[in-house]
Amino acid sequence: PGTGTGTVTADVNGAGNGLTCGADCAETYADGTSVTLTGTPSANSTLSSWQGCDRTTATTCTVRINAARDVLATFNLRPSQTLSVAKIGSAADAGGVTSSPTGINCGADCTEDYPGGTTVVLSASAPLGSVFSGFTGCDRSASTTCTVSVSALSHITATFTAVPVRQLTVSRDGTGAGRVTGQGINCGTDCTEPYNDGTSVVLIARPSAPGSMFATWTGCDSVTTNTCAVAMAGDRRISATFTQGHALPTAGSGSGAAPGTGAQSAPAAGTLDATLASEARRAVALRGCLTAVARDARRESTHTRHGSARERAKAKRHLARHASSGRRRCLRLHGRTPGPVTRLQARAIGKTQIELDFNAPGTDGKGPPPARTYLVRESRRPIRSDFGRAQTLCGGACRFTVTRVGARVSLRVTDLRARTTYYFAVAARDNVSAHRGPSSKAVKQTTR
């Protein structure tokens, strides 16, 4: 009986054995058996009393079966209690408080009756332009939550304070492609976001196209590789620069030094002019040869329009082979095979960066002019002959301004994983044709 609900279970000598009332409220036992009944109230109910027992505790009834016995367990609902929430502060109208179990949504509904003893968790939310300052009257609170056991009339206060709103604007610069993300920022598409005054925002820059890499930030309070931290004490503008190429040339030193040059002096002006002129003549000759091949291909393509479908298909295949052979002949006539890259070295300069250094070979063996374009390969497994399956950096062509054969060239490989071992190998490309020289010996380096 009673206004509440609950269950009663039976136990004989710690072995269970019998009823579970709710569903099964009668059981037969041998004469003289001692049965212990345990009452468990449902949520918001209490076990008020036992009747028909030989002895009782707050939750148990013990009865010896020496005849047919009837036992009553009375469950009653706990009395309802009222929980009320008040919002105060300079942004009281903006803030909101909700409850679990449901009932309070303050804003509109700030009081609710709960059965006595119910544990209610309140959660506060503050919109842009306000901050939640804290609860009072809770049994315990943490951050934006308040926990209270409603055993009597309970009154909770939530304080909301108005703050200025600041605007963060992100822009992307440079020749590469990339995306900047952060709390509310996805630039690409969303490059501005308002924040409460004093909010700390962390932005992360990531390249978004093959051959692109992140280079630098401007406007940040602090920078860690591709991460920018900024405190919104006012309106702020941040710029992220992306460059083309996974490898970033680093400035050299010495007379006439340019990115990628070493500390060696530049060659005499007359020698440099002669090598550049020779290279220019080769480039013109190569373009002329390729143009002639294309012109011949267009002329011969008129023959593919006649005859049967089979004959036309055969003529097209012949024409394609002839054009490909012509292009290879042009490259063979006017291209050069660069010398091997030597003294390749690697060193870790951070958790995500490794710097490579090597000597620039000549595009014609060991002689001038120096090779200025390089094929750089990266792998997390040892690089075998002909580069294996290693990843190509810089979109296949890392370019440097090198003024002398043997100059020391440097490049910085970024966006690597911390405490990870990488392998690198480098080969020079001819400045005019696509001819590639011998690959360097692979080097191994682990990031910090």
Side-chain angles (χ1 to χ4, degrees), residues 278-279 281-287 289-290 327-338 363-365 429-436:
S278 173
E279 203 166 273
R281 287 193 295 271
R282 253 196 325 127
V284 170
L286 177 60
R287 285 197 297 270
C289 184
L290 293 174
R327 287 191 291 271
R328 289 196 301 271
R329 177 175 54 83
C330 291
L331 293 173
R332 186 171 60 254
L333 287 172
H334 304 290
R336 299 289 184 268
T337 300
T363 57
D364 188 8
R429 288 189 185 277
D430 178 36
N431 297 336
V432 173
S433 69
H435 284 194
R436 172 163 66 86

Side-chain angles (χ1 to χ4, degrees), residues 262-317:
Q264 302 161 344
S265 60
T271 304
L272 179 60
D273 290 344
T275 56
L276 292 177
S278 173
E279 203 166 273
R281 287 193 295 271
R282 253 196 325 127
V284 170
L286 177 60
R287 285 197 297 270
C289 184
L290 293 174
T291 299
V293 169
R295 183 177 61 247
D296 292 344
R298 287 195 300 271
R299 185 183 302 120
E300 292 189 26
S301 67
T302 58
H303 301 302
T304 65
R305 304 172 187 172
H306 307 288
S308 65
R310 183 176 181 179
E311 290 171 338
R312 292 196 301 272
K314 182 177 179 181
K316 286 182 178 179
R317 290 194 297 272

